[in-house]
Amino acid sequence: MQSVIKWFENSENVTNKATQNYRSSFEVELAIRKEMLKTFTQTDYELNEDIDIGMFKIMGQNPDDPESCYIGNVVIEFDDGVWLATWYISGFRHYAYGMQVSSNILVFNFSYLDSDENPHTGLVSYTFLSENIVRGQWIEEGYSEKGIEELRKLEDDEIDFNDMHDANFGFSLN
């Protein structure tokens, strides 16, 4: 239960960093997450290629700026024995190939081009606490601190490409 509480606390901390212009998007997502806590049941979750694919809502923070926050989406897929991820954050797309490293952990090697067409790479590790709740940490070349991404799986009928970045663009989007 401690991991899901940390997932919510991190989501709350990210929301508290949002400026007034963006706060409502973060608060709506936080309210959904708060409701999810009421029905969460702790289990030893194991990944399933048929269930653990789909679109997830991200609330995250860059490691280079403690006041940064962002909200976006990641699509996780399993194709021909390979885990794939595509992030949609602030109009940028990041792509990754991944692998399952334990019963409930996926690790992705991501890459993207910044606005100056410079390539960047890094690693993200997602721990699935349930089918709908995922905790993430990531690192990127040139930075020794970790960023966080707390995910919530979107419902099949929930369409959401609200991908904003607040505070500053941080290193990951420059």
Side-chain angles (χ1 to χ4, degrees):
M1 191 66 173
Q2 191 62 28
S3 290
V4 77
I5 291 170
K6 186 66 175 165
W7 168 83
F8 182 76
E9 287 173 349
N10 283 346
S11 300
E12 193 171 42
N13 289 338
V14 167
T15 299
N16 290 335
K17 295 174 188 309
T19 61
Q20 198 60 34
N21 294 343
Y22 299 102
R23 186 172 293 271
S24 64
S25 293
F26 287 86
E27 288 175 341
V28 166
E29 180 61 24
L30 187 65
I32 294 169
R33 291 171 185 227
K34 188 172 188 176
E35 287 300 311
M36 290 176 73
L37 282 180
K38 294 177 182 177
T39 59
F40 179 79
T41 303
Q42 184 72 47
T43 63
D44 290 330
Y45 191 76
E46 293 189 18
L47 284 161
N48 180 312
E49 296 93 0
D50 296 322
I51 295 173
D52 297 313
I53 57 172
M55 187 180 304
F56 295 78
K57 189 68 175 177
I58 303 166
M59 293 178 79
Q61 179 178 354
N62 290 321
D64 65 327
D65 181 358
E67 295 306 312
S68 72
C69 58
Y70 59 90
I71 193 166
N73 296 289
V74 60
V75 176
I76 296 177
E77 302 170 284
F78 188 76
D79 185 30
D80 201 24
V82 178
W83 288 96
L84 305 168
T86 304
W87 290 265
Y88 300 88
I89 301 172
S90 298
F92 289 85
R93 287 187 185 171
H94 301 179
Y95 301 96
Y97 290 94
M99 60 189 267
Q100 185 173 341
V101 297
S102 75
S103 63
N104 67 332
I105 297 176
L106 291 177
V107 175
F108 290 97
N109 180 359
F110 66 84
S111 63
Y112 67 95
L113 297 175
D114 65 20
S115 60
D116 294 325
E117 300 295 317
N118 295 315
H120 296 268
T121 60
L123 296 172
V124 63
S125 173
Y126 288 140
T127 302
F128 283 69
L129 304 178
S130 72
E131 177 183 340
N132 300 313
I133 297 175
V134 182
R135 298 213 49 223
Q137 295 184 27
W138 57 274
I139 57 173
E140 188 170 319
E141 64 179 313
Y143 296 90
S144 59
E145 301 295 319
K146 293 182 284 188
I148 60 166
E149 285 190 346
E150 307 298 3
L151 281 57
R152 173 185 67 87
K153 189 171 188 181
L154 297 175
E155 300 292 328
D156 290 337
D157 62 351
E158 190 177 4
I159 305 295
D160 181 345
F161 273 93
N162 179 6
D163 64 344
M164 296 179 294
H165 195 282
D166 199 4
N168 67 38
F169 274 115
F171 73 87
S172 68
L173 298 175
N174 284 334

